[in-house]
Amino acid sequence: GRTREKDVVLAIARELKKSIDARPGMRGVLIRTGDYFIPLRDRFEKARQHRADLFVSVHADAFTKRHVSGSSVFVLSRKGASSEFARRLAASENSADLVGGVSLRGKDDMLASVLLDLSQSATMEASSAVADSVFASLSRMGKTHKRHVGHANFLVLKSPDVPSILVETAFISNPSEEQRLRDSAWQKKMARTIANGVQDYFYLSPPPGTWIAANRQPVKYRVVSGDTLGEIADRYRVSLYSLRRANGLKSDTIRIGSELLIPTT
């Protein structure tokens, strides 16, 4: 139908910013605001310049088989992280780059390596946590392409100190999903769903010193078909014991449609 990915994902990103901005203690920044190209590395560097707590790259997937469908969430693979680590370390001697708020300039190789490794490990852990939260939110909205978060060597996910995820909203190569991507109501729903997952993550793990850290609300999860209490505990990175205790459960049996309170950390 001649739908262009750059048009529909910008529309979704604009709606995502609106949804984020409407939530207390949160503010969104668009990487691009119009029809122009920004090099891949410059995208996450722009997020770093804004001292972002999270970078979300929004896309529409495609495949040769038209029946393939569903949304996906990706984080950086270990291989991709290793290659970026080596690139950053090699450039550290001549770089004023800040990693986790610390300049690498003037640091000896060993110290620069330790600082970069600590920053990257924490960033990848946070990326996985927010990806799980957004994936859970997308699962409640409808069909996902796979049953878990994916790992890939995408350049836009290689920020050393900003947690980063990539969301494939739908398959633009699938005729039915192409129509959804063009629909403004669906775009708003998708944006709101991503924002819900982002908010859930920040309420569970708020950055220190932020408004959310001082005023966070409890996170609630509505049980859908196929859920188990253990999987929900893993998804939100809480213990099974604390999840049972927070909800007064004497067993692991849960009912579809029931609402669970997720204990905050």
Side-chain angles (χ1 to χ4, degrees), residues 154-206:
F154 293 129
L155 181 58
V156 290
L157 298 177
K158 290 188 174 183
S159 176
D161 49 6
V162 179
S164 305
I165 65 171
L166 185 145
V167 179
E168 297 282 7
T169 53
F171 276 81
I172 200 169
S173 51
N174 179 296
S176 297
E177 293 202 339
E178 180 195 5
Q179 290 302 311
R180 294 192 195 109
L181 285 164
R182 296 166 65 103
D183 180 64
S184 60
W186 188 89
Q187 292 170 357
K188 290 179 181 178
K189 184 178 181 181
M190 172 56 69
R192 188 168 59 250
T193 300
I194 296 171
N196 287 343
V198 170
Q199 178 176 286
D200 282 353
Y201 164 74
F202 281 124
Y203 276 137
L204 283 168
S205 306

Side-chain angles (χ1 to χ4, degrees), residues 123-143:
T123 298
M124 291 188 71
E125 185 176 343
S127 297
S128 294
V130 70
D132 285 344
S133 184
V134 171
F135 185 82
S137 186
L138 289 170
S139 298
R140 296 194 290 272
M141 176 179 172
K143 181 181 182 295

Side-chain angles (χ1 to χ4, degrees), residues 40-233:
L40 298 178
R41 190 174 293 279
D42 290 353
R43 299 180 193 187
F44 72 73
E45 289 294 351
K46 186 172 181 179
R48 298 184 72 215
Q49 291 164 13
H50 282 276
R51 303 186 69 175
D53 292 304
L54 174 66
F55 173 79
V56 181
S57 189
V58 183
H59 296 264
D61 218 337
F63 195 62
T64 53
K65 297 178 181 177
R66 290 157 60 92
H67 70 275
V68 177
S69 63
S71 55
S72 304
V73 183
F74 288 90
V75 293
L76 185 63
S77 67
R78 285 289 169 187
K79 182 179 179 181
S82 297
S83 63
E84 183 63 14
F85 181 92
R87 194 201 73 83
R88 292 258 171 196
L89 194 58
S92 65
E93 275 192 21
N94 302 313
S95 173
D97 203 12
L98 292 175
V99 176
V102 179
S103 174
L104 294 179
R105 175 178 284 175
K107 305 292 190 296
D108 63 51
D109 289 349
M110 179 63 74
L111 179 56
S113 177
V114 170
L115 291 172
L116 187 54
D117 185 51
L118 287 171
S119 179
Q120 190 173 55
S121 295
T123 298
M124 291 188 71
E125 185 176 343
S127 297
S128 294
V130 70
D132 285 344
S133 184
V134 171
F135 185 82
S137 186
L138 289 170
S139 298
R140 296 194 290 272
M141 176 179 172
K143 181 181 182 295
T144 54
H145 181 53
K146 293 183 178 179
R147 291 179 57 85
H148 52 78
V149 171
H151 295 77
N153 190 16
F154 293 129
L155 181 58
V156 290
L157 298 177
K158 290 188 174 183
S159 176
D161 49 6
V162 179
S164 305
I165 65 171
L166 185 145
V167 179
E168 297 282 7
T169 53
F171 276 81
I172 200 169
S173 51
N174 179 296
S176 297
E177 293 202 339
E178 180 195 5
Q179 290 302 311
R180 294 192 195 109
L181 285 164
R182 296 166 65 103
D183 180 64
S184 60
W186 188 89
Q187 292 170 357
K188 290 179 181 178
K189 184 178 181 181
M190 172 56 69
R192 188 168 59 250
T193 300
I194 296 171
N196 287 343
V198 170
Q199 178 176 286
D200 282 353
Y201 164 74
F202 281 124
Y203 276 137
L204 283 168
S205 306
T210 60
W211 185 94
I212 293 177
N215 300 276
R216 59 181 168 177
Q217 302 297 314
V219 175
K220 296 179 179 179
Y221 177 80
R222 190 169 297 279
V223 178
V224 297
S225 177
D227 278 339
T228 68
L229 199 64
E231 288 174 345
I232 295 170

